[in-house]
DNA sequence: CGGTATCCCAATTGATACTG
DNA sequence: CAGTATCAATTGGGATACCG
C-alpha cells in the first residue's frame, strides 16, 4: 500500500487553527468577546468565573499575538485595558460556532 | 455590568466537541480514516510516521469509546484489526474540514 | 487595575519492554 | 500483528507574591 506521511493528508492548516484555540480558556474568551464586542480585563475575568489571573493574561497575550484579539490600553491611572475581536477573530467565530452546533447535535448520541 | 458566568455563553457543546478531538493525534487519525475509509492498525501507524505504539492504541481506544471510529477485529493469528469512521465520525469531518479551510486561508495572515 | 515572575503539582507524552 | 504496562521526561495549570 506504500503510504508515506507527506501530505496525502494535509492537516497543517488544521494544526495551525488548533494551535490558535487550544489552551483551556481561549475559546471561552473568544465567545465572550464575540457576544459582548468589547470587554475590559476585569470584566472578562469576572465573566469567566474561575480563571486565574495568570491564565487570563497568558491566554489573552497569545490571542493577541496570534492576531485574534485586539488590545487597547488607555494611558491613565489606574490602568484601563479593553479587548475585542480582530477581523481575523471575527472570521473564526462562525467556524467555531459550527463545531459548537455539531456538539449540540451529538452530545447525547449513543 | 453584572455578568454572571452561567450561560450567556454556552460553550458546553463546544467543550464536548473539543474533548473528542483533543489529543495530539486524533484529528490526524480521523483525516486518514476519512480519506482511506478502512485502515489496519499497522497501516495507520506507518501513515502517521512518528507516532508511538502507545499513543496510537491509546488514541484509537478513546476514539472508539467516543464512538467516532469503529474497530473490527478478525479472530485469527496473527491478529488483524481494521478501523474506520463511524456514522458520527463521518458527520464530524466536514466540520473539521471547515476549520482546516479557515486555517489555510489565514496561515499566512499578518 | 492590569500584568509578570516564581514555585509546585497534575496531566500528557515518549521510550522501552513485555504479551497473546 | 496488535496491543498493554511501566517509568521517565515534558508540558500545562493553579497559588501566590510582587510591580507599575
Amino acid at each position: 500500500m506504500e503510504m508515506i506521511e507527506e501530505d496525502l493528508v494535509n492537516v497543517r492548516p488544521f494544526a495551525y487553527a488548533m494551535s490558535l484555540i487550544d489552551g483551556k480558556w481561549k475559546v471561552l474568551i473568544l465567545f465572550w468577546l464575540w457576544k459582548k464586542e468589547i470587554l475590559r480585563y476585569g470584566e472578562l475575568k469576572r465573566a469567566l468565573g474561575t480563571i486565574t489571573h495568570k491564565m487570563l493574561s497568558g491566554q489573552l497575550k497569545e490571542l493577541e499575538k496570534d492576531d485574534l484579539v485586539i488590545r487597547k490600553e488607555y494611558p491613565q491611572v489606574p490602568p484601563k485595558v479593553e479587548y475585542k475581536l480582530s477581523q481575523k477573530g471575527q472570521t473564526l467565530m462562525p467556524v467555531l460556532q459550527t463545531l459548537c452546533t455539531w456538539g449540540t447535535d451529538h452530545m447525547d448520541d449513543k
Side-chain angles (χ1 to χ4, degrees), chain A residues 15 27 43 92 109:
Chain A
V27 174
E43 293 173 333
L92 178 59
D109 267 19

Side-chain angles (χ1 to χ4, degrees), chain A residues 3 12 16 20 22 28 42 47 51 56 59 63 67 74 90 92 103-104:
Chain A
M3 288 184 300
R12 282 263 307 288
Y16 167 74
L20 302 190
D22 65 7
L28 199 45
I51 194 173
L56 182 52
Q59 304 271 289
L63 289 171
D67 198 30
Y74 295 85
Q90 295 282 353
L92 178 59
T104 302

Side-chain angles (χ1 to χ4, degrees), chain A residues 4 6 24 32 34 48 54 62 68 72 83 88-89 91 94:
Chain A
I4 315 297
E6 294 269 345
K24 196 174 176 181
W32 272 101
W34 195 28
L48 297 173
K54 174 187 170 184
E62 289 184 27
L68 291 179
K72 180 173 184 181
Y83 290 91
K88 181 176 173 185
T91 67

Side-chain angles (χ1 to χ4, degrees), chain A residues 16-27 29-30 54-71 83 86 88:
Chain A
Y16 167 74
M18 288 298 287
S19 74
L20 302 190
I21 62 173
D22 65 7
K24 196 174 176 181
W25 299 91
K26 286 188 183 176
V27 174
I29 292 170
L30 292 174
K54 174 187 170 184
M55 281 311 291
L56 182 52
S57 31
Q59 304 271 289
L60 282 171
K61 203 170 177 182
E62 289 184 27
L63 289 171
E64 189 196 0
K65 170 180 64 61
D66 293 330
D67 198 30
L68 291 179
V69 312
I70 295 173
R71 178 180 183 276
Y83 290 91
S86 68
K88 181 176 173 185

Side-chain angles (χ1 to χ4, degrees), chain A residues 33 37-39 68-71 82-86:
Chain A
L33 292 177
E37 310 238 331
I38 294 182
L39 286 175
L68 291 179
V69 312
I70 295 173
R71 178 180 183 276
E82 289 179 345
Y83 290 91
K84 64 176 181 180
L85 291 184
S86 68

Side-chain angles (χ1 to χ4, degrees), chain A residues 34-47:
Chain A
W34 195 28
K35 193 150 212 159
K36 295 291 189 174
E37 310 238 331
I38 294 182
L39 286 175
R40 292 183 60 175
Y41 179 91
E43 293 173 333
L44 212 34
K45 185 158 192 320
R46 261 172 289 124

